[in-house]
């Protein structure tokens, strides 16, 4: 077959895929134009002749998964800003059967929106055969408010994952009763966080072994404060850039250990920093044993809250080099994450921005400063005309190197009327980690990467327990995307479920190292990351073609600090490791 004939066949098959998908696609010359444009500005972009030759992620259609729920944004002529910012999603094992279930967040009733019939969120139970069953009503987690995101964590240490929902208006804490149902304990717990909450993260900020809660707050907004942005002469309006709204402090809630929390935002000094917070990740950026917070802010400086112990945080974003762009401008920080992508023993940071700003990959200099290396890696120019939300570092092909998945979409659905080169719906991006940098493999990752979406939240999790980490993408005003990972076939792996005893129950902050022959790697279990979303709590260690582990070492977070080195480990299985105890095969 000639190269020209092969290209034509590939384009035709992708056109058929887009038609079946029912989304805005990139057919004909538009598809070819996008490919040319992306390849022309991407350093090291893989092509079918240069990079991986097989499908990497496969879209699971609703008819197959039985996930038929859809997000509704309630878009109105007044164009209230919350309409375009949702929604989030989560992987969680709510019934502790060892299989990841799915939670999806919807809009709902608020001061500017009164849907009839009412909208609700959705909890889908994993049937262990590739399908899911909607159990929202039985579980009692339908919510009904104007939802944004989800954060999952076992805050009371009873062994069952609890669910915190961020909303515009008032957030909700659902306690897992352990019998397939949840109870709204928001008032008792004291974590309502009135206002506009976005992302949230569970982490142990004071090293007492209990999960505390940080909640991002966006701008000072309600129906009465909605501003007109657009052409006043014609009356044509569009979604406002958040620059026109006032910043607000985020919330930090201390876990009292009795089912209640105390807000310590001011006491911890976090409340001193006014921001427009979208994404948050908890990680130890300076290796001092205290979990820090990196917060992506929109149109104001990003925050890096360095945990100084004794319940105090210092905001060091400016001196750390992560607050502004290289030319000193605030950007539109949305999705964030943290990981040691180059294996030098120090956690690096990521933040996604909007078009014309480029995304940032901040390399850790080991002295509480960072350098933005997005341009050197090719990521900067690839994302110059894009807007990023959900993001996560993970090893999609189980070769031992961290890769990077990005969910994109512009916040303004009228952006194409003013800027021809910027699109509202944008493609997903996938970067393969080389151990030192990244290679763009989006062009060969699968037909879904040729479609465009108004993607927002994104969570990772292995829904079919095959060791290949899958992806869930929440799409504004549409159904979610469930992407099955088919890239890791042939590579070996081990999945770890960590259960803290003296440490926090979810082992947030644990450091995991492993060696298999010539491969030696380490990873920190960070808290949160991405945008409005929560992830599979298990950690998958990739071995590539190596058939056995020499050892795996777990350094549990404070207050324990226990170091466990394990040998004679199984391969291609999930195991549970309880702090201070042995291995239990799932």
């Amino acid at each position: 077959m000639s190269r020209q004939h092969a290209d034509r066949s590939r384009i035709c098959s992708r056109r058929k895929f887009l038609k079946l998908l029912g989304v805005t696609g990139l057919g004909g010359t538009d598809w070819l134009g996008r490919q040319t444009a992306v390849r022309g500005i991407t350093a090291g972009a893989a092509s079918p002749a240069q990079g991986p030759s097989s499908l990497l992620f496969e879209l699971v259609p609703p008819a197959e998964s039985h996930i038929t729920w859809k997000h509704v944004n309630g878009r109105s002529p007044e164009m209230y800003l919350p309409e375009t910012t949702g929604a989030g999603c989560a992987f969680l094992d709510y019934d502790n059967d060892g299989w990841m279930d799915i939670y999806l967040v919807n809009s709902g009733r608020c001061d500017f929106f009164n849907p009839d019939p009412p909208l609700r969120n959705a909890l889908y139970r994993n049937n262990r055969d590739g399908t899911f069953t909607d159990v929202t009503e039985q579980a009692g987690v339908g919510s009904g408010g104007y939802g944004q995101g989800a954060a999952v964590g076992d805050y009371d240490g009873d062994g069952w994952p609890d669910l915190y929902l961020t909303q515009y208006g008032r957030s909700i804490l659902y306690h897992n009763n352990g019998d397939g149902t949840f109870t709204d304990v928001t008032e008792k717990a004291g974590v309502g966080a009135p206002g506009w909450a976005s992302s949230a993260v569970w982490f142990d900020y004071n090293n007492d072994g209990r999960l505390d809660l940080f909640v991002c707050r966006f701008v000072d907004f309600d129906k009465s404060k909605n501003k007109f942005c657009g052409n006043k002469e014609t009356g044509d309006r569009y979604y406002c850039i958040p620059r026109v709204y006032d910043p607000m402090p985020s919330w930090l809630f201390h876990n009292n250990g009795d089912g209640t929390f105390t807000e310590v935002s001011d006491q911890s000094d976090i409340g001193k920093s006014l921001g427009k917070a979208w994404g948050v990740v908890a990680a130890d950026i300076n290796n001092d044993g205290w979990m820090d917070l990196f917060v992506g802010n929109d149109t104001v400086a990003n925050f890096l809250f360095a945990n100084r112990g004794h319940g105090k945080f210092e905001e060091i974003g400016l001196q750390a080099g992560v607050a502004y762009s290289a030319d000193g401008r605030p950007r539109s920080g949305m999705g964030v994450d943290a990981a040691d992508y180059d294996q030098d023993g120090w956690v690096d940071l990521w933040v996604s921005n909007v078009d014309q700003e480029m995304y940032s990959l901040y390399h850790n200099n080991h002295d509480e400063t960072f350098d933005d290396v997005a341009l050197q890696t090719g990521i900067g120019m690839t994302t110059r005309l894009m807007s990023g939300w959900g993001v996560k570092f993970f090893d999609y092909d189980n070769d031992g190197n961290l890769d990077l998945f990005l969910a994109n979409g512009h916040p303004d659905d009228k952006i194409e009327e003013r800027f021809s080169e910027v699109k509202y719906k944008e493609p997903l991006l996938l970067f393969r980690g080389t151990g030192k940098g990244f290679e763009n493999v989006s062009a060969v990752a699968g037909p879904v990467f040729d479609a465009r979406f108004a993607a927002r939240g994104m969570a990772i999790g292995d829904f079919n327990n095959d060791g290949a980490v899958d992806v869930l993408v929440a799409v504004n005003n549409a159904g979610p995307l469930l992407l099955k990972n088919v890239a890791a076939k042939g590579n070996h792996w081990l999945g770890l479920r960590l259960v803290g005893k003296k440490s926090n129950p979810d082992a947030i902050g644990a450091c995991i190292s492993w060696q298999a022959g010539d491969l030696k790697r380490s990873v920190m279990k960070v808290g949160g990351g991405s945008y409005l979303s929560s992830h599979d709590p298990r950690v998958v260690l990739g071995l590539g073609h190596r058939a056995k582990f020499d050892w795996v070492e777990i350094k549990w977070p404070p207050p324990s600090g226990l170091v466990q080195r394990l040998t004679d480990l199984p391969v291609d299985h999930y195991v549970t490791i309880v702090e201070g105890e042995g291995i239990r095969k799932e």
Side-chain angles (χ1 to χ4, degrees):
M1 181 183 294
S2 70
R3 176 64 179 272
Q4 185 179 21
H5 188 181
D7 287 345
R8 187 179 298 114
S9 297
R10 186 169 59 252
I11 293 170
C12 289
S13 72
R14 291 182 176 180
R15 284 176 181 163
K16 290 178 182 177
F17 166 82
L18 297 174
K19 185 176 181 181
L20 287 171
L21 188 60
V23 300
T24 299
L26 298 162
T29 57
D30 194 11
W31 182 83
L32 290 170
R34 201 277 291 191
Q35 291 296 314
T36 302
V38 170
R39 288 175 184 160
I41 62 174
T42 302
S47 69
Q50 299 170 327
S53 58
S54 61
L55 188 71
L56 304 181
F57 284 87
E58 182 180 277
L59 179 71
V60 182
E64 181 178 325
S65 68
H66 299 174
I67 298 175
T68 58
W69 174 98
K70 292 185 178 181
H71 178 259
V72 177
N73 64 11
R75 188 187 186 284
S76 63
E78 291 77 19
M79 302 192 80
Y80 298 104
L81 193 54
E83 295 168 359
T84 192
T85 61
C89 56
F91 279 112
L92 75 161
D93 183 8
Y94 85 97
D95 52 1
N96 277 348
D97 67 349
W99 294 75
M100 285 297 115
D101 310 298
I102 285 174
Y103 193 81
L104 301 163
V105 182
N106 212 342
S107 307
R109 186 175 182 179
C110 66
D111 59 353
F112 62 79
F113 187 42
N114 187 20
D116 186 18
L119 300 174
R120 65 169 176 84
N121 299 346
L123 174 63
Y124 279 95
R125 187 187 68 232
N126 193 326
N127 296 326
R128 312 184 196 181
D129 60 0
T131 69
F132 294 80
T133 298
D134 189 332
V135 295
T136 313
E137 297 303 325
Q138 301 96 299
V141 290
S143 179
Y146 203 98
Q148 293 286 274
V152 179
D154 182 9
Y155 76 87
D156 58 350
D158 66 354
W160 298 87
D162 307 298
L163 179 62
Y164 187 75
L165 302 181
T166 58
Q167 299 193 139
Y168 162 72
R170 171 189 175 274
S171 297
I172 298 174
L173 176 59
Y174 284 118
H175 175 262
N176 191 329
N177 299 321
D179 60 0
T181 69
F182 291 76
T183 299
D184 184 341
V185 296
T186 312
E187 293 305 318
K188 174 190 174 184
V191 292
W196 184 347
S198 51
S199 296
V201 61
W202 295 99
F203 77 120
D204 181 9
Y205 81 88
N206 58 347
N207 288 346
D208 65 355
R210 296 190 291 263
L211 287 175
D212 309 298
L213 179 66
F214 177 89
V215 182
C216 291
R217 185 170 184 178
F218 196 49
V219 297
D220 183 18
F221 180 90
D222 60 38
K223 181 179 180 180
S224 68
K225 296 174 182 174
N226 193 47
K227 298 182 184 298
F228 180 91
C229 294
N231 188 325
K232 291 185 177 180
E233 293 183 2
T234 64
D236 185 41
R237 68 192 304 161
Y238 48 80
Y239 286 115
C240 291
I241 298 173
R243 189 178 297 112
V244 302
Y245 293 106
D246 293 332
M248 298 295 288
S250 292
W251 299 275
L252 179 63
F253 295 100
H254 171 258
N255 189 334
N256 299 323
D258 59 0
T260 70
F261 292 76
T262 300
E263 188 191 344
V264 292
S265 309
D266 291 336
Q267 180 182 329
S268 65
D269 290 341
I270 279 179
K272 293 181 179 178
S273 300
L274 302 183
K276 303 177 184 182
W278 277 139
V280 60
V281 63
D284 183 1
I285 60 104
N286 50 13
N287 290 339
D288 66 353
W290 298 91
M291 294 296 281
D292 312 296
L293 292 168
F294 181 49
V295 179
N297 282 314
D298 199 335
T299 69
V300 296
N302 297 323
F303 295 148
L304 181 55
F305 290 113
N307 190 335
R308 301 308 189 194
H310 310 290
K312 295 289 187 180
F313 288 82
E314 180 185 3
E315 203 291 288
I316 62 169
L318 180 60
Q319 54 265 45
V322 299
Y324 300 108
S325 66
D327 58 357
R329 298 174 184 270
R331 292 186 285 184
S332 303
M334 297 185 292
V336 301
D337 201 19
D340 180 9
Y341 77 90
D342 62 347
Q343 291 294 296
D344 67 352
W346 296 76
V347 169
D348 310 296
L349 301 174
W350 170 277
V351 62
S352 302
N353 302 298
V354 299
D355 65 284
Q356 312 300 334
E357 296 178 346
M358 297 191 296
Y359 305 171
S360 288
L361 175 60
Y362 290 113
H363 180 262
N364 194 324
N365 295 324
H366 312 173
D367 59 1
E368 294 192 352
T369 70
F370 295 78
D371 288 329
D372 189 348
V373 296
L375 277 174
Q376 295 94 302
T377 60
I379 292 173
M381 289 304 293
T382 303
T383 60
R384 184 176 64 85
L385 298 178
M386 303 183 74
S387 300
W389 303 84
V391 55
K392 201 67 182 152
F393 289 100
F394 69 105
D395 183 5
Y396 77 81
D397 53 1
N398 284 340
D399 68 349
N401 294 322
L402 287 175
D403 311 300
L404 183 63
F405 192 106
L406 299 170
N408 310 288
H410 201 279
D412 182 6
D413 61 3
K414 292 186 176 182
I415 191 67
E416 294 169 43
E417 297 176 7
R418 306 190 305 280
F419 300 96
S420 59
E421 74 275 19
V422 180
K423 307 300 180 183
Y424 172 59
K425 295 183 179 181
E426 299 176 348
L428 306 169
L429 290 176
L430 181 65
F431 290 88
R432 177 179 173 271
T434 64
K436 296 297 181 182
F438 295 92
E439 175 191 18
N440 184 2
V441 295
S442 310
V444 294
V448 71
F449 288 80
D450 296 320
R452 288 177 174 166
F453 308 94
R456 298 294 186 261
M458 185 270 283
I460 62 169
D462 181 7
F463 77 86
N464 56 358
N465 280 351
D466 64 352
V469 179
D470 310 299
V471 176
L472 178 67
V473 179
V475 181
N476 186 266
N477 209 42
L481 309 174
L482 180 60
L483 307 181
K484 183 169 66 175
N485 183 337
V486 294
K489 294 177 181 178
N491 283 345
H492 295 294
W493 57 277
L494 174 66
L496 304 181
R497 175 176 174 254
L498 303 183
V499 179
K501 289 299 185 181
K502 190 174 181 181
S503 305
N504 69 83
D506 293 352
I508 301 301
C511 293
I512 305 162
S513 303
W514 69 99
Q515 183 165 346
D518 62 329
L519 180 73
K520 189 174 182 179
R521 293 290 185 267
S522 64
V523 66
M524 176 181 288
K525 188 177 182 187
V526 303
S530 193
Y531 171 77
L532 304 183
S533 301
S534 196
H535 313 281
D536 188 337
R538 302 171 298 181
V539 180
V540 177
L541 314 181
L543 287 179
H545 292 293
R546 301 162 190 86
K548 62 173 291 187
F549 285 91
D550 297 329
W551 50 263
V552 172
E553 185 175 278
I554 301 167
K555 182 178 180 182
W556 295 85
S560 167
L562 175 69
V563 177
Q564 287 180 268
R565 177 169 283 212
L566 308 167
T567 56
D568 298 323
L569 291 152
V571 174
D572 302 335
H573 288 286
Y574 280 100
V575 298
T576 294
I577 300 178
V578 180
E579 182 180 3
E581 301 178 12
I583 303 168
R584 185 174 76 243
K585 186 175 177 180
E586 296 293 330

